[in-house]
mmCIF file of all heavy atoms in Angstrom:
data_model
loop_
_atom_site.group_PDB
_atom_site.id
_atom_site.type_symbol
_atom_site.label_atom_id
_atom_site.label_comp_id
_atom_site.label_asym_id
_atom_site.label_seq_id
_atom_site.Cartn_x
_atom_site.Cartn_y
_atom_site.Cartn_z
ATOM 1 N N GLY R 100 226.710 167.097 301.810
ATOM 2 C CA GLY R 100 226.928 167.570 303.177
ATOM 3 C C GLY R 100 225.661 168.114 303.811
ATOM 4 O O GLY R 100 225.733 168.987 304.679
ATOM 5 N N ILE R 105 223.064 170.754 308.132
ATOM 6 C CA ILE R 105 221.843 171.005 308.909
ATOM 7 C C ILE R 105 222.169 170.977 310.404
ATOM 8 O O ILE R 105 221.652 171.770 311.180
ATOM 9 C CB ILE R 105 220.742 169.984 308.540
ATOM 10 C CG1 ILE R 105 220.241 170.276 307.121
ATOM 11 C CG2 ILE R 105 219.583 170.031 309.530
ATOM 12 C CD1 ILE R 105 219.282 169.254 306.555
ATOM 13 N N GLY R 117 214.361 180.017 320.328
ATOM 14 C CA GLY R 117 213.372 179.467 319.394
ATOM 15 C C GLY R 117 213.483 177.961 319.287
ATOM 16 O O GLY R 117 214.265 177.316 320.014
ATOM 17 N N ALA R 158 206.930 157.742 304.439
ATOM 18 C CA ALA R 158 207.375 156.763 303.450
ATOM 19 C C ALA R 158 206.332 156.399 302.405
ATOM 20 O O ALA R 158 206.667 156.062 301.287
ATOM 21 C CB ALA R 158 207.836 155.502 304.159
ATOM 22 N N ALA R 197 208.530 170.048 294.863
ATOM 23 C CA ALA R 197 207.629 169.869 295.992
ATOM 24 C C ALA R 197 208.097 170.699 297.187
ATOM 25 O O ALA R 197 207.301 171.368 297.843
ATOM 26 C CB ALA R 197 207.545 168.393 296.358
ATOM 27 N N GLU R 216 231.104 171.086 286.983
ATOM 28 C CA GLU R 216 229.968 170.724 287.834
ATOM 29 C C GLU R 216 228.648 171.326 287.368
ATOM 30 O O GLU R 216 227.593 170.750 287.583
ATOM 31 C CB GLU R 216 230.226 171.106 289.293
ATOM 32 C CG GLU R 216 230.649 172.516 289.544
ATOM 33 C CD GLU R 216 232.167 172.632 289.545
ATOM 34 O OE1 GLU R 216 232.794 171.972 288.706
ATOM 35 O OE2 GLU R 216 232.705 173.375 290.337
ATOM 36 N N GLN R 218 227.408 171.431 284.567
ATOM 37 C CA GLN R 218 226.722 170.595 283.594
ATOM 38 C C GLN R 218 225.813 169.567 284.249
ATOM 39 O O GLN R 218 224.816 169.159 283.688
ATOM 40 C CB GLN R 218 227.739 169.860 282.728
ATOM 41 C CG GLN R 218 228.503 170.822 281.854
ATOM 42 C CD GLN R 218 229.649 170.120 281.151
ATOM 43 O OE1 GLN R 218 229.723 168.899 281.129
ATOM 44 N NE2 GLN R 218 230.544 170.915 280.582
ATOM 45 N N ILE R 266 218.094 188.794 294.045
ATOM 46 C CA ILE R 266 219.137 188.164 293.229
ATOM 47 C C ILE R 266 219.755 187.041 294.068
ATOM 48 O O ILE R 266 220.340 187.306 295.120
ATOM 49 C CB ILE R 266 220.264 189.172 292.861
ATOM 50 C CG1 ILE R 266 219.667 190.474 292.291
ATOM 51 C CG2 ILE R 266 221.285 188.536 291.923
ATOM 52 C CD1 ILE R 266 219.078 190.382 290.917
ATOM 53 N N TYR R 276 233.875 172.258 309.248
ATOM 54 C CA TYR R 276 234.721 173.095 310.101
ATOM 55 C C TYR R 276 233.989 174.328 310.606
ATOM 56 O O TYR R 276 234.602 175.229 311.181
ATOM 57 C CB TYR R 276 236.006 173.486 309.361
ATOM 58 C CG TYR R 276 236.897 172.300 309.090
ATOM 59 C CD1 TYR R 276 236.923 171.701 307.839
ATOM 60 C CD2 TYR R 276 237.682 171.755 310.106
ATOM 61 C CE1 TYR R 276 237.722 170.592 307.590
ATOM 62 C CE2 TYR R 276 238.476 170.641 309.866
ATOM 63 C CZ TYR R 276 238.492 170.069 308.605
ATOM 64 O OH TYR R 276 239.277 168.973 308.379
ATOM 65 N N LEU R 320 191.510 162.634 293.700
ATOM 66 C CA LEU R 320 190.867 162.098 292.496
ATOM 67 C C LEU R 320 191.600 160.851 292.018
ATOM 68 O O LEU R 320 190.991 159.846 291.662
ATOM 69 C CB LEU R 320 190.861 163.151 291.383
ATOM 70 C CG LEU R 320 189.855 164.300 291.549
ATOM 71 C CD1 LEU R 320 189.990 165.291 290.397
ATOM 72 C CD2 LEU R 320 188.423 163.766 291.608
#
Side-chain angles (χ1 to χ4, degrees):
I105 290 173
E216 52 268 40
Q218 293 172 13
I266 310 288
Y276 294 101
L320 286 178

